[in-house]
Amino acid sequence: MKRRDFIKSSATVATAAAVLGPIDVAHGTEGGKASAENDKARVKSYRTLGRTGMKIGDISFGAGKLPAASLIVRAVERGVNYFDTAPDYGPSEVFIGEAMPRLPDRSKIYIASKFCQTKPYPGHLPAGSSEQEYVDAVEGSLKRLKTNYIDAVFVHAIGESPDLEKERKRLFDENMLKAFARLRKEGKVRFLATSSHGPHNMETLLLEAVNSGHYDLIMPAFNFMKFPKVPEVLQTAAKKGVGVIAMKTLAGAKESGADLSGVMEHAAFKWVLKHPEVAGLVVTFANVGHLDLYLQASGQTFTAADQRALDQYAAHHGQDYCRTGCGDCEAGCAQGVPVATILRQQMYFEDYHDEKRAMQTYAALEKNAAACTGCAEASCNQLCAYGLPVATKLRAAHRQLSFDAIS
Protein backbone atom coordinates (compact mmCIF):
# COMPACT_ATOMS: atom_id res chain seq x y z
CA MET A 1 0.00 0.00 0.00
CA LYS A 2 1.16 3.51 -0.73
CA ARG A 3 2.03 5.68 2.23
CA ARG A 4 -0.99 7.99 1.83
CA ASP A 5 -3.33 4.97 1.77
CA PHE A 6 -1.52 3.40 4.70
CA ILE A 7 -2.00 6.50 6.86
CA LYS A 8 -5.70 6.75 5.92
CA SER A 9 -6.29 3.10 6.73
CA SER A 10 -4.72 3.24 10.19
CA ALA A 11 -7.33 5.26 12.08
CA THR A 12 -8.29 2.46 14.43
CA VAL A 13 -5.82 2.02 17.27
CA ALA A 14 -5.94 0.45 20.70
CA THR A 15 -5.09 2.46 23.82
CA ALA A 16 -4.92 -0.08 26.62
CA ALA A 17 -1.47 -0.87 28.08
CA ALA A 18 -0.63 -4.45 28.93
CA VAL A 19 0.36 -5.31 32.48
CA LEU A 20 3.77 -6.95 32.37
CA GLY A 21 4.79 -9.73 34.66
CA PRO A 22 7.29 -12.59 34.89
CA ILE A 23 6.66 -15.65 32.82
CA ASP A 24 6.05 -19.08 34.33
CA VAL A 25 8.07 -22.25 34.20
CA ALA A 26 5.58 -23.87 31.80
CA HIS A 27 6.88 -21.75 28.96
CA GLY A 28 10.53 -22.60 29.25
CA THR A 29 11.94 -20.52 32.11
CA GLU A 30 13.65 -21.97 35.15
CA GLY A 31 12.47 -21.41 38.73
CA GLY A 32 14.56 -19.68 41.37
CA LYS A 33 15.80 -16.81 39.22
CA ALA A 34 16.97 -13.71 41.03
CA SER A 35 14.70 -10.66 40.91
CA ALA A 36 17.23 -8.88 38.70
CA GLU A 37 16.74 -11.58 36.08
CA ASN A 38 12.97 -11.16 36.22
CA ASP A 39 13.37 -7.43 35.59
CA LYS A 40 14.88 -8.11 32.17
CA ALA A 41 12.77 -7.91 29.02
CA ARG A 42 11.06 -11.23 28.41
CA VAL A 43 8.19 -12.87 26.55
CA LYS A 44 4.89 -12.10 28.27
CA SER A 45 2.33 -13.31 25.75
CA TYR A 46 1.82 -16.69 24.10
CA ARG A 47 -0.59 -17.53 21.30
CA THR A 48 -1.72 -20.83 19.82
CA LEU A 49 -0.31 -21.53 16.36
CA GLY A 50 -3.42 -22.77 14.60
CA ARG A 51 -4.22 -26.46 14.62
CA THR A 52 -0.65 -27.33 15.59
CA GLY A 53 -1.58 -26.56 19.19
CA MET A 54 1.88 -25.07 19.75
CA LYS A 55 1.66 -22.10 22.12
CA ILE A 56 4.46 -19.82 20.96
CA GLY A 57 5.84 -16.53 22.22
CA ASP A 58 4.53 -13.53 20.30
CA ILE A 59 8.16 -12.44 19.74
CA SER A 60 10.12 -15.41 18.43
CA PHE A 61 13.72 -16.11 17.51
CA GLY A 62 15.06 -15.89 13.97
CA ALA A 63 18.43 -17.66 14.03
CA GLY A 64 19.85 -16.50 10.70
CA LYS A 65 22.65 -14.57 12.43
CA LEU A 66 23.02 -16.69 15.55
CA PRO A 67 26.55 -16.03 16.91
CA ALA A 68 26.79 -18.70 19.63
CA ALA A 69 24.86 -21.35 21.54
CA SER A 70 24.79 -19.18 24.66
CA LEU A 71 22.31 -16.77 23.03
CA ILE A 72 19.80 -19.60 22.63
CA VAL A 73 20.11 -20.42 26.33
CA ARG A 74 19.63 -16.78 27.30
CA ALA A 75 16.61 -16.50 25.03
CA VAL A 76 14.95 -19.53 26.62
CA GLU A 77 15.61 -18.01 30.05
CA ARG A 78 13.69 -14.94 28.82
CA GLY A 79 10.70 -17.07 27.79
CA VAL A 80 11.44 -17.43 24.06
CA ASN A 81 10.23 -20.85 22.94
CA TYR A 82 10.07 -20.82 19.10
CA PHE A 83 13.27 -20.88 17.04
CA ASP A 84 13.45 -20.53 13.25
CA THR A 85 16.59 -21.92 11.62
CA ALA A 86 17.74 -23.57 8.37
CA PRO A 87 20.64 -25.62 6.98
CA ASP A 88 21.65 -22.61 4.84
CA TYR A 89 21.80 -20.19 7.80
CA GLY A 90 25.49 -20.78 8.38
CA PRO A 91 26.27 -22.49 11.71
CA SER A 92 22.81 -21.74 13.11
CA GLU A 93 21.65 -25.35 13.48
CA VAL A 94 25.00 -26.39 14.97
CA PHE A 95 24.79 -23.68 17.65
CA ILE A 96 21.23 -24.69 18.54
CA GLY A 97 22.46 -28.26 18.83
CA GLU A 98 25.22 -27.15 21.19
CA ALA A 99 22.60 -25.40 23.33
CA MET A 100 20.21 -28.36 23.39
CA PRO A 101 21.69 -30.18 26.44
CA ARG A 102 21.41 -26.93 28.43
CA LEU A 103 17.72 -26.37 27.73
CA PRO A 104 15.33 -27.24 30.56
CA ASP A 105 12.59 -29.06 28.60
CA ARG A 106 12.79 -29.92 24.89
CA SER A 107 9.02 -30.58 24.75
CA LYS A 108 8.37 -26.89 25.45
CA ILE A 109 10.90 -25.64 22.89
CA TYR A 110 9.70 -25.46 19.28
CA ILE A 111 12.21 -25.66 16.43
CA ALA A 112 11.44 -25.00 12.77
CA SER A 113 13.88 -25.69 9.96
CA LYS A 114 13.75 -25.90 6.15
CA PHE A 115 14.01 -28.38 3.30
CA CYS A 116 17.42 -26.96 2.38
CA GLN A 117 21.01 -27.83 1.64
CA THR A 118 23.91 -26.49 3.69
CA LYS A 119 25.30 -24.34 0.87
CA PRO A 120 25.03 -20.54 1.25
CA TYR A 121 21.52 -19.13 1.06
CA PRO A 122 19.41 -19.85 -0.90
CA GLY A 123 19.90 -23.58 -0.53
CA HIS A 124 16.23 -24.56 -1.07
CA LEU A 125 15.71 -28.00 -2.53
CA PRO A 126 14.28 -27.53 -6.03
CA ALA A 127 11.12 -29.19 -7.31
CA GLY A 128 11.97 -32.60 -8.66
CA SER A 129 14.38 -33.45 -5.85
CA SER A 130 14.04 -37.08 -4.88
CA GLU A 131 12.09 -38.24 -1.86
CA GLN A 132 15.38 -39.36 -0.30
CA GLU A 133 16.96 -35.92 -0.83
CA TYR A 134 14.13 -34.34 1.15
CA VAL A 135 14.52 -36.96 3.87
CA ASP A 136 18.29 -36.49 3.94
CA ALA A 137 17.88 -32.73 4.36
CA VAL A 138 15.84 -33.24 7.51
CA GLU A 139 18.12 -36.01 8.78
CA GLY A 140 21.04 -33.61 8.43
CA SER A 141 19.18 -30.96 10.39
CA LEU A 142 18.38 -33.43 13.17
CA LYS A 143 22.03 -34.40 13.45
CA ARG A 144 23.20 -30.78 13.64
CA LEU A 145 20.40 -29.82 16.04
CA LYS A 146 21.12 -32.83 18.28
CA THR A 147 17.45 -33.65 18.60
CA ASN A 148 15.32 -36.55 17.41
CA TYR A 149 12.56 -34.39 15.90
CA ILE A 150 11.83 -30.92 14.62
CA ASP A 151 8.46 -29.31 15.11
CA ALA A 152 8.04 -27.83 11.63
CA VAL A 153 9.80 -28.11 8.30
CA PHE A 154 9.37 -25.35 5.71
CA VAL A 155 9.21 -25.25 1.97
CA HIS A 156 10.92 -21.89 2.19
CA ALA A 157 10.76 -18.66 0.17
CA ILE A 158 8.00 -19.52 -2.29
CA GLY A 159 7.48 -16.79 -4.89
CA GLU A 160 11.03 -15.81 -5.69
CA SER A 161 10.49 -16.75 -9.34
CA PRO A 162 7.90 -15.00 -11.52
CA ASP A 163 7.04 -18.41 -13.00
CA LEU A 164 3.90 -19.32 -11.07
CA GLU A 165 3.81 -22.91 -12.26
CA LYS A 166 7.44 -23.42 -11.29
CA GLU A 167 6.67 -22.21 -7.77
CA ARG A 168 3.56 -24.38 -7.55
CA LYS A 169 5.67 -27.40 -8.42
CA ARG A 170 7.96 -26.69 -5.46
CA LEU A 171 5.02 -26.02 -3.16
CA PHE A 172 3.26 -29.28 -4.04
CA ASP A 173 6.19 -31.47 -5.09
CA GLU A 174 4.94 -35.05 -4.82
CA ASN A 175 8.32 -36.28 -3.58
CA MET A 176 8.38 -33.60 -0.89
CA LEU A 177 4.90 -34.57 0.32
CA LYS A 178 5.87 -38.25 0.39
CA ALA A 179 9.05 -37.43 2.29
CA PHE A 180 7.14 -35.37 4.82
CA ALA A 181 4.57 -38.16 5.35
CA ARG A 182 7.40 -40.62 5.88
CA LEU A 183 9.25 -38.35 8.30
CA ARG A 184 6.09 -37.59 10.26
CA LYS A 185 5.24 -41.30 10.54
CA GLU A 186 8.74 -41.88 11.91
CA GLY A 187 8.24 -39.08 14.47
CA LYS A 188 11.01 -36.92 13.05
CA VAL A 189 8.84 -33.99 11.91
CA ARG A 190 5.53 -32.82 13.31
CA PHE A 191 4.18 -30.18 10.92
CA LEU A 192 4.56 -28.98 7.32
CA ALA A 193 4.98 -25.27 6.66
CA THR A 194 5.71 -22.81 3.89
CA SER A 195 6.92 -19.22 3.72
CA SER A 196 7.18 -16.35 1.25
CA HIS A 197 9.02 -13.06 1.04
CA GLY A 198 7.47 -12.55 -2.40
CA PRO A 199 8.02 -10.71 -4.64
CA HIS A 200 5.92 -12.84 -7.00
CA ASN A 201 2.46 -14.26 -6.29
CA MET A 202 2.99 -14.44 -2.54
CA GLU A 203 -0.69 -14.17 -1.64
CA THR A 204 -1.78 -16.53 -4.42
CA LEU A 205 0.70 -19.22 -3.43
CA LEU A 206 0.04 -18.94 0.30
CA LEU A 207 -3.72 -19.14 -0.26
CA GLU A 208 -3.21 -22.26 -2.34
CA ALA A 209 -1.08 -23.75 0.42
CA VAL A 210 -3.72 -22.92 3.03
CA ASN A 211 -6.58 -24.34 0.97
CA SER A 212 -4.69 -27.50 -0.02
CA GLY A 213 -4.91 -29.08 3.40
CA HIS A 214 -1.25 -30.10 3.24
CA TYR A 215 0.17 -27.19 5.23
CA ASP A 216 -0.19 -26.63 8.98
CA LEU A 217 1.40 -23.18 9.14
CA ILE A 218 2.56 -20.35 6.92
CA MET A 219 5.08 -17.55 7.35
CA PRO A 220 4.39 -14.51 5.14
CA ALA A 221 6.36 -11.31 4.95
CA PHE A 222 4.07 -8.76 6.61
CA ASN A 223 4.62 -5.20 7.79
CA PHE A 224 3.00 -1.77 7.91
CA MET A 225 4.59 -0.55 4.66
CA LYS A 226 3.10 -3.06 2.19
CA PHE A 227 1.02 -6.23 1.76
CA PRO A 228 -2.59 -4.96 1.56
CA LYS A 229 -3.79 -8.42 0.43
CA VAL A 230 -2.11 -10.41 3.19
CA PRO A 231 -5.04 -9.93 5.65
CA GLU A 232 -7.19 -12.00 3.26
CA VAL A 233 -4.62 -14.79 3.53
CA LEU A 234 -4.58 -14.46 7.31
CA GLN A 235 -8.36 -14.68 7.57
CA THR A 236 -8.55 -17.75 5.34
CA ALA A 237 -5.76 -19.39 7.33
CA ALA A 238 -7.64 -18.77 10.57
CA LYS A 239 -10.81 -20.35 9.17
CA LYS A 240 -8.82 -23.42 8.06
CA GLY A 241 -6.91 -23.72 11.35
CA VAL A 242 -3.57 -22.95 9.66
CA GLY A 243 -1.16 -21.16 11.97
CA VAL A 244 0.48 -17.87 10.95
CA ILE A 245 3.91 -16.53 11.89
CA ALA A 246 4.98 -13.20 10.40
CA MET A 247 8.44 -12.20 9.17
CA LYS A 248 10.06 -9.07 7.68
CA THR A 249 8.05 -7.05 10.18
CA LEU A 250 10.51 -4.14 10.49
CA ALA A 251 10.03 -2.84 6.93
CA GLY A 252 13.73 -2.80 6.18
CA ALA A 253 14.94 -1.98 9.71
CA LYS A 254 16.51 1.22 8.45
CA GLU A 255 18.20 3.67 10.75
CA SER A 256 15.78 6.47 11.55
CA GLY A 257 16.58 10.13 11.07
CA ALA A 258 14.91 10.89 14.40
CA ASP A 259 15.48 9.65 17.94
CA LEU A 260 13.30 6.57 17.63
CA SER A 261 15.66 3.93 18.99
CA GLY A 262 13.41 1.07 20.09
CA VAL A 263 10.21 3.02 19.54
CA MET A 264 9.87 2.14 15.86
CA GLU A 265 10.76 -1.52 16.40
CA HIS A 266 8.20 -1.91 19.16
CA ALA A 267 5.54 -0.09 17.13
CA ALA A 268 6.20 -2.27 14.08
CA PHE A 269 5.94 -5.46 16.12
CA LYS A 270 2.75 -4.33 17.84
CA TRP A 271 1.21 -3.35 14.48
CA VAL A 272 1.71 -6.92 13.21
CA LEU A 273 0.56 -8.53 16.44
CA LYS A 274 -2.67 -6.51 16.57
CA HIS A 275 -3.88 -8.86 13.81
CA PRO A 276 -5.51 -11.66 15.83
CA GLU A 277 -4.74 -14.30 13.20
CA VAL A 278 -0.98 -13.86 13.75
CA ALA A 279 0.32 -16.13 16.50
CA GLY A 280 3.74 -14.52 16.59
CA LEU A 281 6.53 -12.98 14.58
CA VAL A 282 10.08 -14.05 13.87
CA VAL A 283 12.82 -11.43 14.07
CA THR A 284 16.57 -11.92 13.84
CA PHE A 285 18.35 -11.99 17.20
CA ALA A 286 22.11 -11.52 16.88
CA ASN A 287 23.07 -10.46 20.42
CA VAL A 288 21.80 -9.98 23.96
CA GLY A 289 20.98 -6.36 23.15
CA HIS A 290 18.32 -7.62 20.74
CA LEU A 291 16.76 -9.65 23.56
CA ASP A 292 16.71 -6.53 25.74
CA LEU A 293 15.21 -4.40 22.97
CA TYR A 294 12.77 -6.60 21.07
CA LEU A 295 11.21 -8.49 23.97
CA GLN A 296 9.99 -5.22 25.50
CA ALA A 297 7.23 -5.28 22.88
CA SER A 298 5.88 -8.66 24.00
CA GLY A 299 2.32 -8.54 25.28
CA GLN A 300 1.95 -4.84 24.56
CA THR A 301 -1.00 -3.12 22.88
CA PHE A 302 -0.75 -1.00 19.73
CA THR A 303 -1.39 2.66 20.56
CA ALA A 304 -1.82 6.04 18.88
CA ALA A 305 1.78 6.84 19.83
CA ASP A 306 2.89 3.70 17.98
CA GLN A 307 1.00 4.84 14.89
CA ARG A 308 2.73 8.20 15.00
CA ALA A 309 6.13 6.46 15.17
CA LEU A 310 5.28 4.36 12.12
CA ASP A 311 4.01 7.41 10.23
CA GLN A 312 7.29 9.18 10.96
CA TYR A 313 9.30 6.17 9.77
CA ALA A 314 7.20 5.95 6.59
CA ALA A 315 7.69 9.66 5.91
CA HIS A 316 11.45 9.35 6.39
CA HIS A 317 12.00 6.13 4.41
CA GLY A 318 8.94 5.77 2.17
CA GLN A 319 10.83 6.81 -0.97
CA ASP A 320 13.90 4.71 -0.21
CA TYR A 321 12.54 1.39 1.08
CA CYS A 322 11.93 -1.23 -1.62
CA ARG A 323 8.82 -3.03 -0.42
CA THR A 324 9.59 -6.68 0.15
CA GLY A 325 7.11 -8.68 -1.87
CA CYS A 326 6.36 -6.02 -4.50
CA GLY A 327 8.25 -6.55 -7.78
CA ASP A 328 5.86 -4.38 -9.83
CA CYS A 329 8.75 -2.76 -11.71
CA GLU A 330 10.19 -6.01 -13.03
CA ALA A 331 7.68 -6.35 -15.86
CA GLY A 332 9.22 -3.36 -17.67
CA CYS A 333 12.81 -4.64 -17.59
CA ALA A 334 13.85 -5.97 -20.98
CA GLN A 335 16.87 -7.65 -19.37
CA GLY A 336 14.78 -9.62 -16.87
CA VAL A 337 16.67 -8.30 -13.86
CA PRO A 338 15.18 -9.71 -10.60
CA VAL A 339 14.87 -6.26 -9.04
CA ALA A 340 13.09 -7.21 -5.82
CA THR A 341 15.46 -10.08 -5.04
CA ILE A 342 18.53 -7.91 -5.63
CA LEU A 343 17.24 -5.01 -3.53
CA ARG A 344 16.33 -7.44 -0.75
CA GLN A 345 19.96 -8.53 -0.69
CA GLN A 346 21.01 -4.89 -0.60
CA MET A 347 18.72 -4.48 2.41
CA TYR A 348 20.47 -7.40 4.12
CA PHE A 349 23.84 -5.81 3.31
CA GLU A 350 23.06 -2.22 4.35
CA ASP A 351 20.40 -2.46 7.04
CA TYR A 352 20.82 -5.94 8.51
CA HIS A 353 24.66 -5.74 8.32
CA ASP A 354 24.72 -9.28 6.93
CA GLU A 355 27.26 -8.48 4.22
CA LYS A 356 28.69 -11.96 3.66
CA ARG A 357 25.34 -13.69 3.21
CA ALA A 358 24.06 -10.92 0.91
CA MET A 359 27.13 -11.13 -1.32
CA GLN A 360 27.04 -14.92 -1.49
CA THR A 361 23.37 -14.91 -2.45
CA TYR A 362 23.95 -12.20 -5.05
CA ALA A 363 26.83 -14.17 -6.55
CA ALA A 364 24.55 -17.20 -6.92
CA LEU A 365 21.87 -15.34 -8.92
CA GLU A 366 21.49 -16.39 -12.55
CA LYS A 367 21.08 -12.72 -13.52
CA ASN A 368 22.28 -9.72 -11.52
CA ALA A 369 22.31 -5.93 -11.84
CA ALA A 370 25.38 -5.75 -14.10
CA ALA A 371 22.99 -5.01 -16.97
CA CYS A 372 21.78 -1.93 -15.09
CA THR A 373 25.14 -0.18 -15.15
CA GLY A 374 24.77 0.87 -18.78
CA CYS A 375 20.98 1.02 -19.00
CA ALA A 376 19.70 4.40 -20.20
CA GLU A 377 16.02 3.40 -20.38
CA ALA A 378 15.42 2.95 -16.62
CA SER A 379 11.80 1.90 -17.14
CA CYS A 380 11.86 0.47 -13.61
CA ASN A 381 11.81 4.02 -12.24
CA GLN A 382 8.55 4.84 -14.01
CA LEU A 383 6.89 1.61 -12.87
CA CYS A 384 7.64 2.04 -9.16
CA ALA A 385 4.43 3.14 -7.45
CA TYR A 386 6.42 4.47 -4.51
CA GLY A 387 8.72 6.79 -6.44
CA LEU A 388 11.96 4.94 -5.71
CA PRO A 389 15.02 5.62 -7.89
CA VAL A 390 15.14 1.92 -8.75
CA ALA A 391 17.85 2.08 -11.40
CA THR A 392 20.16 4.06 -9.13
CA LYS A 393 19.55 1.60 -6.29
CA LEU A 394 20.32 -1.35 -8.56
CA ARG A 395 23.62 0.17 -9.69
CA ALA A 396 24.56 0.81 -6.07
CA ALA A 397 23.57 -2.74 -5.17
CA HIS A 398 25.83 -4.15 -7.87
CA ARG A 399 28.78 -2.13 -6.56
CA GLN A 400 28.11 -3.30 -3.01
CA LEU A 401 27.29 -6.93 -3.64
CA SER A 402 29.47 -7.95 -6.56
CA PHE A 403 32.86 -9.46 -5.80
CA ASP A 404 33.96 -8.29 -9.24
CA ALA A 405 33.13 -4.68 -8.35
CA ILE A 406 35.47 -4.72 -5.34
CA SER A 407 38.74 -2.98 -6.10
Side-chain angles (χ1 to χ4, degrees):
M1 111 178 20
K2 298 180 179 65
R3 178 178 172 270
R4 60 178 179 272
D5 298 326
F6 157 69
I7 294 173
K8 287 178 183 177
S9 68
S10 301
T12 304
V13 295
T15 57
V19 177
L20 307 183
I23 191 167
D24 59 37
V25 175
H27 291 119
T29 56
E30 299 177 82
K33 293 292 181 184
S35 59
E37 180 68 21
N38 288 330
D39 288 339
K40 292 180 179 178
R42 58 196 309 111
V43 177
K44 301 173 182 71
S45 177
Y46 295 83
R47 302 180 183 184
T48 302
L49 188 57
R51 61 174 175 248
T52 72
M54 294 190 291
K55 205 171 179 67
I56 69 168
D58 55 355
I59 310 292
S60 291
F61 199 110
K65 292 183 68 176
L66 181 62
S70 59
L71 191 60
I72 296 293
V73 177
R74 292 192 182 203
V76 171
E77 290 172 351
R78 304 280 193 96
V80 178
N81 69 344
Y82 182 94
F83 296 87
D84 179 273
T85 184
D88 58 354
Y89 288 179
S92 174
E93 289 186 325
V94 172
F95 288 149
I96 294 174
E98 290 175 0
M100 198 65 70
R102 300 163 61 187
L103 303 184
D105 188 343
R106 169 68 179 92
S107 69
K108 294 183 175 66
I109 303 299
Y110 304 120
I111 298 173
S113 193
K114 318 291 193 305
F115 280 124
C116 284
Q117 305 168 65
T118 54
K119 68 180 186 179
Y121 183 94
H124 325 313
L125 288 178
S129 297
S130 70
E131 178 181 338
Q132 191 60 46
E133 285 174 318
Y134 283 107
V135 170
D136 288 346
V138 171
E139 295 279 10
S141 290
L142 294 175
K143 183 176 180 179
R144 289 184 292 274
L145 290 164
K146 295 183 181 177
T147 185
N148 57 3
Y149 72 96
I150 55 177
D151 295 278
V153 61
F154 276 81
V155 177
H156 189 44
I158 289 293
E160 292 192 331
S161 168
D163 187 335
L164 180 58
E165 289 307 312
K166 177 181 178 181
E167 295 298 273
R168 281 176 172 149
K169 286 178 181 178
R170 193 156 71 90
L171 189 62
F172 300 114
D173 188 334
E174 184 177 346
N175 288 337
M176 179 274 296
L177 293 174
K178 287 181 180 178
F180 171 72
R182 174 176 156 189
L183 290 162
R184 182 172 57 184
K185 184 176 180 180
E186 294 173 354
K188 295 174 180 177
V189 173
R190 299 176 64 201
F191 304 109
L192 184 62
T194 189
S195 63
S196 180
H197 310 91
H200 305 286
N201 303 301
M202 178 173 75
E203 294 89 344
T204 297
L205 289 163
L206 290 181
L207 275 173
E208 290 183 5
V210 166
N211 288 321
S212 72
H214 292 300
Y215 287 89
D216 303 296
L217 60 141
I218 59 172
M219 185 166 62
F222 188 40
N223 62 58
F224 64 95
M225 292 276 277
K226 175 65 177 161
F227 314 112
K229 296 180 181 178
V230 167
E232 178 187 349
V233 179
L234 304 186
Q235 292 159 16
T236 303
K239 290 176 184 176
K240 298 279 187 177
V242 175
V244 178
I245 303 171
M247 64 174 172
K248 295 293 178 285
T249 55
L250 289 177
K254 292 184 177 294
E255 298 292 339
S256 175
D259 184 15
L260 290 178
S261 179
V263 175
M264 180 269 163
E265 290 91 339
H266 298 162
F269 293 158
K270 288 187 277 183
W271 184 90
V272 170
L273 293 170
K274 75 175 181 174
H275 296 80
E277 305 89 352
V278 177
L281 61 88
V282 168
V283 62
T284 298
F285 286 85
N287 52 58
V288 174
H290 285 156
L291 291 174
D292 294 335
L293 176 63
Y294 296 157
L295 295 185
Q296 292 178 45
S298 178
Q300 297 289 332
T301 304
F302 188 74
T303 68
D306 294 320
Q307 187 62 64
R308 288 193 295 272
L310 297 185
D311 290 346
Q312 185 172 351
Y313 183 91
H316 196 75
H317 293 295
Q319 291 189 316
D320 184 50
Y321 167 56
C322 179
R323 277 67 171 171
T324 308
C326 179
D328 290 348
C329 65
E330 294 184 7
C333 178
Q335 301 296 323
V337 174
V339 179
T341 298
I342 291 170
L343 294 186
R344 179 155 62 91
Q345 299 312 314
Q346 185 189 42
M347 177 183 71
Y348 291 148
F349 187 100
E350 286 189 339
D351 303 318
Y352 288 26
H353 307 296
D354 199 351
E355 294 89 351
K356 180 179 178 180
R357 177 179 165 187
M359 294 181 76
Q360 288 176 328
T361 302
Y362 186 72
L365 294 177
E366 292 182 9
K367 186 177 290 291
N368 62 30
C372 305
T373 58
C375 177
E377 186 177 352
S379 59
C380 50
N381 289 346
Q382 284 73 48
L383 291 173
C384 179
Y386 306 97
L388 272 65
V390 180
T392 300
K393 290 179 70 67
L394 286 167
R395 293 179 190 117
H398 184 65
R399 289 193 298 271
Q400 288 177 324
L401 302 173
S402 175
F403 289 101
D404 294 335
I406 299 174
S407 58

